[in-house]
Amino acid sequence: MLVIPKPGLLALCALFLPTPAWAGEISPADTAWLLTATALVLFMTLPGLSLFYGGLVRVRNVLSVLMQCFALAALMSLVWFVVGYTLAFGSAGVEQGAWIGDLGNFMLMGIEFDGVNGSIPESLFVMFQMTFAIITPALIIGGFAERIRFSALLLFSTAWLLLVYAPICHWVWGGGWLGAMGLQDFAGGTVVHITAGVAALVAAIMMGPRRGFGSVAMPPHNLTMTVTGAGMLWVGWFGFNAGSAVAADQSAAMAMLVTHLSAACGSLAWMAMEWLRHGKPSVLGIVTGMVAGLGTITPASGSVGPAAAVVIGLTAGVVCYFATITLKNRLKIDDSLDVFPVHGVGGILGTLLAGIFCSPNLGIFSGNGFSDGIDSIGGQLAVQATGVGATFLYTLVVSWVLFKVVDALVGLRVDSDEETIGLDLVLHDERGYDL
């Protein structure tokens, strides 16, 4: 019989216990989870969003959308490396201003091999945030799909990342004024979804509708592709929201749970609305409802409980459904792939609802409580509304200016004949299908 002395027994047991991470130390568990979450968020863009958007456009433009997503993944990574990250988060040990980060990490010169951010390597935090900087401009593609020049897309997205995304990211997550006010935006309701939604709306208005919009049917060319991409987005979103806890802990677990519940409820709510109004539920509707549920829970995923997530998801499915109908049928705005009514409206709705359902006085709906110094729903809701308003107005104005500048430099839109031929052949000299 093997007899293990008591000190040896304690050491053996310690092998199976989680290792605490002290200040300035790397936690293997947190690092492993954030490595996984980072891959999941990149997976959302490539291939998730690419396939989701690619299936929604007409057959002559499918390659253009895939190309746009792929090119932005590469270009935004480089822009983030050069100056995007330092504008958003600044450098360690330097007190950050309210509006923009310092240039101490220009070209990531201050990111060292053994640098630590909380309990993870600093390089991993840079990479995790880079995946957010990739997917946010990629979301905007849906607002001007099937009619934008490729050169215009690259110029606009580069300037937009630096002049819209990076400053707002700093306001909320980088030590800026909205974060200091106590804004509840766990994973990007303002930083990602409102900014992308508003920019897409501005693009759709400025560029005008696609040729034949409102009089010619423009159904998705491949819903199988879209549903495949939607499934990838659902799975990848766990990295997006639960990864924003930046730790393998209870906060990440709850964020994953509420994310899933909201996605499920958004799907069912949108499906039910179509079923009631049109007699049949559509595949396009259920996957769009899923995205609405995911986008709406994003800002609240770190501050609400499961019951609140169900309410948020159901509300998202209904509100975003009617927002889509209103934008296209009543306002006649051709936001081609419904970026504003799904992401923009969802981000606004979720940011406001986070201020309500974080209240510790709401029983089964309560979340993690108000921000420090705020002790009422009204106070938190005022902060949330301030964040929504500031993000909306700033994004609207700067995006409008950037589109004007890009239009003057290279032209935003292909001409009518080129649009009829399709962007795949006109811009890339290739076909998506050659059967």
Side-chain angles (χ1 to χ4, degrees), residues 150-227:
F150 188 59
S151 57
L153 168 80
L154 299 180
L155 284 174
F156 170 79
S157 298
T158 300
W160 190 87
L161 183 75
L162 297 177
L163 298 177
V164 176
Y165 180 83
I168 293 177
C169 182
H170 180 77
W171 297 356
V172 179
W173 296 332
W177 67 281
L178 285 176
M181 285 181 63
L183 179 70
Q184 297 268 9
D185 186 359
F186 190 70
T190 54
V191 179
V192 176
H193 295 288
I194 295 178
T195 58
V198 172
L201 179 64
V202 172
I205 293 172
M206 292 184 67
M207 295 182 67
R210 289 167 291 178
R211 187 178 183 185
F213 174 73
S215 60
V216 177
M218 299 180 181
H221 91 279
N222 191 334
L223 273 178
T224 304
M225 180 187 291
T226 294
V227 175

Side-chain angles (χ1 to χ4, degrees), residues 19-276:
T19 304
W22 308 106
E25 292 186 6
I26 299 295
S27 163
D30 293 347
T31 300
W33 165 234
L34 260 293
L35 287 167
T36 304
T38 299
L40 285 171
V41 181
L42 184 59
F43 183 72
M44 290 173 66
T45 305
L46 302 173
L49 188 69
S50 303
L51 293 176
F52 183 78
Y53 276 179
L56 290 175
V57 298
R58 289 168 290 180
V59 67
R60 59 180 180 262
N61 297 307
V62 56
L63 278 185
S64 71
V65 170
L66 300 180
M67 178 67 168
Q68 289 164 8
C69 288
F70 210 97
L72 287 186
L75 181 59
M76 296 304 100
S77 298
L78 188 61
V79 175
W80 192 249
F81 154 73
V82 175
V83 72
Y85 176 76
T86 196
L87 291 178
F89 292 97
S91 51
V94 178
E95 184 176 353
Q96 300 300 314
W99 303 102
I100 199 71
D102 69 86
L103 295 176
N105 278 322
F106 177 75
M107 296 187 71
L108 300 184
M109 64 176 65
I111 307 301
E112 300 177 353
F113 179 81
D114 56 355
V116 179
N117 186 310
S119 60
I120 64 171
E122 189 175 14
S123 57
L124 177 55
F125 182 76
V126 173
M127 181 63 198
F128 180 64
Q129 290 296 333
M130 182 187 291
T131 60
F132 280 64
I134 289 170
I135 196 170
T136 308
L139 288 173
I140 304 171
I141 289 171
F144 44 60
E146 303 195 279
R147 56 200 189 275
I148 193 170
R149 294 184 183 276
F150 188 59
S151 57
L153 168 80
L154 299 180
L155 284 174
F156 170 79
S157 298
T158 300
W160 190 87
L161 183 75
L162 297 177
L163 298 177
V164 176
Y165 180 83
I168 293 177
C169 182
H170 180 77
W171 297 356
V172 179
W173 296 332
W177 67 281
L178 285 176
M181 285 181 63
L183 179 70
Q184 297 268 9
D185 186 359
F186 190 70
T190 54
V191 179
V192 176
H193 295 288
I194 295 178
T195 58
V198 172
L201 179 64
V202 172
I205 293 172
M206 292 184 67
M207 295 182 67
R210 289 167 291 178
R211 187 178 183 185
F213 174 73
S215 60
V216 177
M218 299 180 181
H221 91 279
N222 191 334
L223 273 178
T224 304
M225 180 187 291
T226 294
V227 175
T228 302
M232 294 173 178
L233 285 173
W234 192 333
V235 174
W237 222 290
F238 294 140
F240 199 87
N241 286 0
S244 293
V246 199
D249 60 8
Q250 297 94 325
S251 180
M254 182 60 76
M256 182 175 286
L257 174 60
V258 300
T259 296
H260 183 73
L261 287 172
S262 184
C265 291
S267 294
L268 296 175
W270 193 298
M271 180 188 75
M273 293 306 302
E274 284 193 331
W275 208 338
L276 289 171

